[in-house]
Amino acid sequence: MFPSVIFTFLAAFQFHTFEFLVCATDEKSIFILAGQSNMAGRGGVTNGTWDGCVPHECRPDPRILRLNPKLMWEEAREPLHGGINTKPCGVGPGISFANSVLQRDPCLGVIGSVTCAPGGTNITEWKQGSDLYYWLLKRANAALRDEGKIRAILWYQGESDSADETRAKMYKKRLIEFFLHIRRDLPSPVLPIIQVALASNAGLYYEVVRKAQLEIKLPNVICVDAKELEVKKNDTLHLTTSAQVHLGKMLANAFFDIGIYSVLIKAWVEKTY
């Protein structure tokens, strides 16, 4: 009976249902940005130096914050992952995503970006119990200290695994385990997760990893395919600045695509259990 109720709500209220539910709270809307270098952003970086060019879609806004390396909120500016990575960062999808989300629904209020994407990491480094896993949890919990709600995880990772046959073949199983564990430990059993399917042909087993990403079928997990986005000519691995801006918009669209269903499902799960 429950699924039919959900679809009745969807048909009757469409986007406005989600908008009302979000507007009913003054909590900060928190998004976790995790994965590796393309989530961190290398747009505009050449030979280890960022060109400093900030697209209009990545402009700062007092309503868009980031959790800095000292676990304090500050106004978000490019490069969003600055200080989080040891490698030079440039434009990523995060601020474009936040601006797109606020443009579409100002009722989301303040956006809090929790940056957790060190470059070059493979999926085994994110398994439950690892340093990166607990680092993500530490930053997520710090973000929740002063009122807020985690709305989604944005995940872009897998290039490192495409260079190794065993890791590529195990990728789907390991990624599913990571998603299930991180939801349980946050805890948020139906937390939306928006993952990105690889854009760049990073290794021999690139298609194996992409296939795994596209085939994952978990509730409230959606895959955004970055394959057609432009990759930088000088390194063939990282997205260009314009591609990162477009990816941010794609992630925002995906967030709203699953927004109504996930909010209603979560309300039902919490009421039932």
Side-chain angles (χ1 to χ4, degrees):
M1 178 178 180
F2 175 66
S4 65
V5 174
I6 289 294
F7 290 119
T8 299
F9 274 121
L10 291 175
F13 297 105
Q14 297 182 353
F15 175 72
H16 297 291
T17 304
F18 180 52
E19 183 178 46
F20 170 79
L21 288 169
V22 173
C23 284
T25 176
D26 293 327
E27 294 176 326
K28 185 186 284 97
S29 292
I30 297 169
F31 295 90
I32 298 172
L33 285 62
Q36 56 181 111
S37 57
N38 267 317
M39 176 57 78
R42 298 292 188 267
V45 175
T46 304
N47 297 325
T49 302
W50 179 46
D51 60 15
C53 295
V54 179
H56 176 72
E57 295 91 340
C58 301
R59 64 195 181 281
D61 186 306
R63 297 171 298 169
I64 301 174
L65 307 178
R66 78 150 187 167
L67 193 73
N68 69 21
K70 297 181 179 180
L71 306 180
M72 303 294 292
W73 291 112
E74 64 185 17
E75 185 173 308
R77 294 178 178 273
E78 297 289 6
L80 186 62
H81 270 75
I84 300 296
N85 274 239
T86 55
K87 298 179 180 180
C89 292
V91 174
I95 298 183
S96 170
F97 167 81
N99 275 313
S100 297
V101 165
L102 285 179
Q103 183 177 14
R104 186 160 170 178
D105 185 5
C107 288
L108 275 163
V110 174
I111 301 291
S113 299
V114 180
T115 49
C116 301
T121 55
N122 65 67
I123 192 62
T124 60
E125 295 178 89
W126 288 95
K127 68 181 179 179
Q128 187 181 45
S130 68
D131 290 343
L132 283 179
Y133 186 90
Y134 283 118
W135 176 62
L136 188 158
L137 286 180
K138 177 182 178 180
R139 288 182 59 75
N141 288 326
L144 293 169
R145 286 179 307 198
D146 56 349
E147 301 299 324
K149 190 72 174 179
I150 298 175
R151 302 290 181 195
I153 294 175
L154 311 183
W155 174 261
Y156 191 171
Q157 186 276 333
E159 291 92 344
S160 294
D161 297 277
S162 71
D164 181 271
E165 183 177 11
T166 300
R167 288 208 307 265
K169 289 180 176 178
M170 292 293 292
Y171 189 81
K172 184 176 181 180
K173 177 179 182 293
R174 289 169 173 168
L175 186 60
I176 289 173
E177 289 174 349
F178 169 72
F179 287 163
L180 294 176
H181 288 153
I182 204 67
R183 278 175 161 177
R184 186 185 67 186
D185 290 339
L186 279 173
S188 185
V190 291
L191 179 67
I193 298 174
I194 305 167
Q195 63 155 334
V196 182
L198 297 185
S200 50
N201 191 352
L204 291 176
Y205 307 99
Y206 154 79
E207 290 294 349
V208 177
V209 173
R210 268 185 54 82
K211 185 172 184 288
Q213 293 168 329
L214 293 166
E215 288 182 350
I216 288 178
K217 306 295 182 186
L218 291 174
N220 285 350
V221 175
I222 190 170
C223 188
V224 168
D225 194 347
K227 189 172 185 178
E228 300 304 319
L229 296 181
E230 184 183 18
V231 177
K232 293 161 65 176
K233 292 181 175 61
N234 63 323
D235 69 12
T236 70
L237 175 65
H238 299 111
L239 298 181
T240 64
T241 296
S242 60
Q244 287 285 16
V245 169
H246 187 64
L247 177 60
K249 296 176 181 179
M250 292 169 67
L251 292 167
N253 288 337
F255 171 64
F256 285 106
D257 284 345
I258 62 175
I260 305 171
Y261 191 78
S262 64
V263 169
L264 292 174
I265 288 284
K266 185 176 186 299
W268 179 80
V269 169
E270 291 177 347
K271 183 177 180 181
T272 304
Y273 297 100

